[in-house]
Amino acid sequence: MSLLTINKLTSSVGAEVLGVDADRLASDDLLGEAVMQALEDNGVLVFRELGLNPQAQVEFCSRLGEVDYSSDGHHPVAGIYPITLDTSKNSSAAYLRATFDWHIDGCTPLGEECPQKATLLSAVAVAETGGETEFANSYAAYEDLTDDEKQRFGSLRVVHSLEASQRRITPDPTPEQVARWRQRRTHEHPLVWTHRSGRKSLVLGASADYILDMDLDEGRALLAELLDRATGPDKVYRHNWSVGDTVIWDNQGVLHRAAPYDPNSPREMLRTTVLGNEPIE
Ligand code: OGA
Ligand code: MN
């Protein structure tokens, strides 16, 4: 019998985990594996009003895999990164407006790092309006292609860049902004990611700039169409946050975005990331 009681939230992505409290999550050694399996099966797990404290959050994530400490320095607890548009709480807040577009974390790393395996957010403060987090299943995005499309798209390669994702929210950048974005190298990824499990997913989202060896506009139109199809309203789980909620997603198999919220809103999420070890190939 599974260790977890799970209630699916939509037919394609998201499930609520019932009957687990913060103490058990932080201390039960057996839960890690069960959570990872549930994540693989459901893409997103929701723990409502769990009230997980930052230390316990990092402890729990360390049961799921290797915690990412590379962005430390913005929060007193190692392994915690605050997601907020308030520049006094996070000096990189300006970049975070890019979370308003659909994306997969870690498609444009500094070096050759793999995309993060899983990301966990806990809500410390919520927006009065907006600020929900939305999720769509990128395995389902592949499965929903026609056989002909699966065939045709199987060999396409896509160039991803920080510049592409930043341009969507800052369409008229200064030359200095563009120069800063371009310091981050571009990455070439296949459109179809064949995972170690054998499952396939589409690698789409804000960082996807253009398709190699295809007319620029035609390639961009195809990327936009595939993203639209993957994220239609009937395919999305939208999490409406309450303080104390914890949500974790399989960053290898879902697209996500934040619904826009006022940059002056107190909304603050504490994020912990579990590193991935699966290259996009
Ligand atoms: C992230 C992210 C969305 C949100 O932390 O990677 O995209 O709703 N967050 O804050
Ligand atoms: Mn993100």
Side-chain angles (χ1 to χ4, degrees):
M1 200 193 91
S2 170
L3 282 173
L4 297 172
T5 306
I6 276 188
N7 181 21
K8 280 194 184 289
L9 295 166
T10 75
S11 59
S12 64
V13 71
E16 183 175 358
V17 180
L18 302 168
V20 179
D21 63 27
D23 285 345
R24 192 169 152 222
L25 214 52
S27 61
D28 187 336
D29 279 336
L30 296 175
L31 269 185
E33 211 173 305
V35 166
M36 287 317 258
Q37 188 56 54
L39 207 52
E40 174 81 14
D41 296 343
N42 296 286
V44 179
L45 298 177
V46 172
F47 302 82
R48 281 189 219 279
E49 300 190 3
L50 188 64
L52 193 63
N53 72 48
Q55 277 91 358
Q57 172 165 322
V58 176
E59 213 147 292
F60 169 54
C61 287
S62 70
R63 285 206 169 74
L64 306 181
E66 194 184 332
V67 169
D68 180 9
Y69 294 102
S70 66
S71 307
D72 278 5
H74 300 273
H75 188 277
V77 174
I80 297 279
Y81 182 79
I83 301 289
T84 165
L85 295 179
D86 181 342
T87 48
S88 73
K89 290 188 183 140
N90 183 335
S91 51
S92 307
Y95 281 91
L96 293 176
R97 281 191 311 123
T99 59
F100 294 169
D101 284 303
W102 287 106
H103 63 282
I104 296 168
D105 293 337
C107 285
T108 58
L110 287 170
E112 293 294 336
E113 303 90 312
C114 300
Q116 294 85 328
K117 168 71 191 135
T119 305
L120 182 151
L121 294 181
S122 293
V124 175
V126 300
E128 205 164 301
T129 54
E132 300 88 351
T133 308
E134 297 187 316
F135 300 95
N137 187 325
S138 61
Y139 292 118
Y142 176 80
E143 283 308 320
D144 288 346
L145 298 176
T146 64
D147 288 343
D148 175 56
E149 287 173 324
K150 285 180 185 168
Q151 181 78 25
R152 282 191 289 128
F153 301 161
S155 57
L156 295 182
R157 298 192 65 82
V158 180
V159 174
H160 290 248
S161 68
L162 177 68
E163 179 178 353
S165 51
Q166 290 296 319
R167 259 187 203 281
R168 293 174 207 274
I169 43 152
T170 309
D172 293 307
T174 63
E176 291 76 20
Q177 282 176 310
V178 175
R180 215 171 312 127
W181 299 339
R182 288 189 183 163
Q183 285 174 4
R184 182 76 69 98
R185 54 165 290 213
T186 62
H187 288 261
E188 200 185 303
H189 299 304
L191 175 60
V192 178
W193 182 352
T194 304
H195 298 255
R196 281 190 195 132
S197 61
R199 298 173 83 189
K200 293 185 180 195
S201 69
L202 292 187
V203 183
L204 295 167
S207 62
D209 191 5
Y210 62 93
I211 301 180
L212 277 175
D213 302 324
M214 194 184 276
D215 172 79
L216 195 66
D217 291 336
E218 201 185 316
R220 285 187 172 152
L222 176 58
L223 291 170
E225 184 208 314
L226 292 174
L227 185 63
D228 267 3
R229 282 163 59 181
T231 58
D234 57 323
K235 307 229 164 98
V236 168
Y237 171 64
R238 171 176 253 236
H239 187 71
N240 198 352
W241 291 95
S242 299
V243 170
D245 285 356
T246 289
V247 172
I248 181 165
W249 68 88
D250 172 2
N251 184 59
Q252 298 178 157
V254 300
L255 287 145
H256 64 283
R257 72 170 174 186
Y261 53 94
D262 183 349
N264 298 314
S265 108
R267 186 186 193 269
E268 184 178 3
M269 303 285 153
L270 296 185
R271 176 165 89 171
T272 302
T273 303
V274 179
L275 293 171
N277 57 14
E278 224 194 84
I280 303 176
E281 56 189 24

